[in-house]
Amino acid sequence: MIIKEELLYSAGATIKQYKPSEIIFSEGDPANYYYQIITGEVKLNNYNDEGKEIIQTLLEDGQSIGESLLFMDKLYPINAIALTNCKVLKLPKNNFFELLKLYPDISFDMNRVLSQRLYFKIIMAQNLCSQSPTAKLKVLMDYLKSSQEEQAPYSFMIPLTRQQMASLTGLCVETAIRTIKTMERDKIVKIKDRKILY
């Protein structure tokens, strides 16, 4: 969901720039701002008890970051970290709610986006119960490809690194790499110039 930048500016938003690996917010911080990426990529993550990173989602230009927490008095259960150089609009929570009152269609769009993210979480939660690395990766690839018009085999280039795919599916990166090679051998994917076509 993209809220028009001019609307955000008119409501009091400011631009903040982040370098790769810089933290936008941390697990345990209060949700005091609406964030929207102008340019760049951000990951939402946390770490398990052994310190292994679990990537919850990856976000890019135009997407909002952690907005669902604005609607409850809870602390962030995740970190938001810049993956690339990022320009992010930052709007105080109270100003954001005033904007929603003035433009109720934004709330409708936000509900649609939150529903899509919830759908992804449900699919990935079910997927984590699977013992098959191939099934885990295939569910992720199916979800990523589902929003594309072209559904022919090998028509979609997976926009994630193997490390990101591993982190999203709960696999170790070595298992993800081996499984993707097996999937290529089984003609589920094609690999061209290190890119995965599904």
Side-chain angles (χ1 to χ4, degrees):
M1 181 194 82
I2 300 175
I3 299 176
K4 292 180 181 170
E5 288 180 30
E6 53 271 18
L7 277 181
L8 292 171
Y9 289 126
S10 71
T14 56
I15 292 181
K16 177 107 166 75
Q17 301 207 27
Y18 298 91
K19 293 184 168 77
S21 300
E22 196 170 347
I23 295 169
I24 298 167
F25 58 76
S26 296
E27 188 173 350
D29 287 350
N32 293 327
Y33 295 93
Y34 170 81
Y35 297 94
Q36 184 170 294
I37 304 167
I38 299 173
T39 58
E41 295 178 13
V42 172
K43 68 179 174 181
L44 299 182
N45 77 350
N46 46 21
Y47 299 90
N48 68 15
D49 293 339
E50 291 90 43
K52 180 182 174 187
E53 179 184 38
I54 300 163
I55 295 177
Q56 300 295 334
T57 194
L58 299 166
L59 303 168
E60 57 190 19
D61 300 6
Q63 292 186 297
S64 50
I65 310 168
E67 70 284 356
S68 61
L69 273 290
L70 294 173
F71 297 94
M72 26 181 177
D73 289 323
K74 302 278 186 192
L75 303 176
Y76 286 116
I78 51 174
N79 306 297
I81 301 170
L83 285 171
T84 62
N85 286 319
C86 292
K87 284 169 67 174
V88 176
L89 282 164
K90 184 176 173 181
L91 180 67
K93 180 178 181 174
N94 291 338
N95 298 37
F96 174 69
F97 287 134
E98 289 303 316
L99 188 66
L100 293 182
K101 287 177 191 170
L102 288 172
Y103 300 95
D105 55 318
I106 294 173
S107 291
F108 181 79
D109 290 342
M110 184 165 281
N111 282 330
R112 186 178 46 78
V113 169
L114 291 174
S115 295
Q116 287 172 337
R117 290 186 185 165
L118 180 60
Y119 176 74
F120 174 72
K121 288 294 174 198
I122 291 168
I123 286 176
M124 293 312 291
Q126 291 171 335
N127 194 25
L128 289 175
C129 297
S130 171
Q131 296 300 310
S132 164
T134 300
K136 289 182 178 204
L137 289 168
K138 192 167 179 330
V139 166
L140 175 62
M141 291 179 192
D142 284 341
Y143 175 78
L144 293 170
K145 188 174 179 177
S146 68
S147 61
Q148 303 300 308
E149 209 169 287
E150 180 57 60
Q151 291 292 311
Y154 318 125
S155 62
F156 176 67
M157 187 178 77
I158 302 296
L160 304 173
T161 67
R162 284 147 178 84
Q163 177 65 61
Q164 290 168 334
M165 292 174 74
S167 295
L168 282 165
T169 55
L171 298 171
C172 67
V173 70
E174 295 82 8
T175 301
I177 291 168
R178 273 195 314 273
T179 304
I180 290 165
K181 287 180 183 172
T182 301
M183 291 172 78
E184 181 184 32
R185 193 174 56 242
D186 294 342
K187 301 189 181 342
I188 298 169
V189 299
K190 274 188 184 176
I191 299 174
K192 185 176 180 183
D193 300 325
R194 294 195 37 81
K195 303 290 183 192
I196 302 167
L197 302 174
Y198 180 62

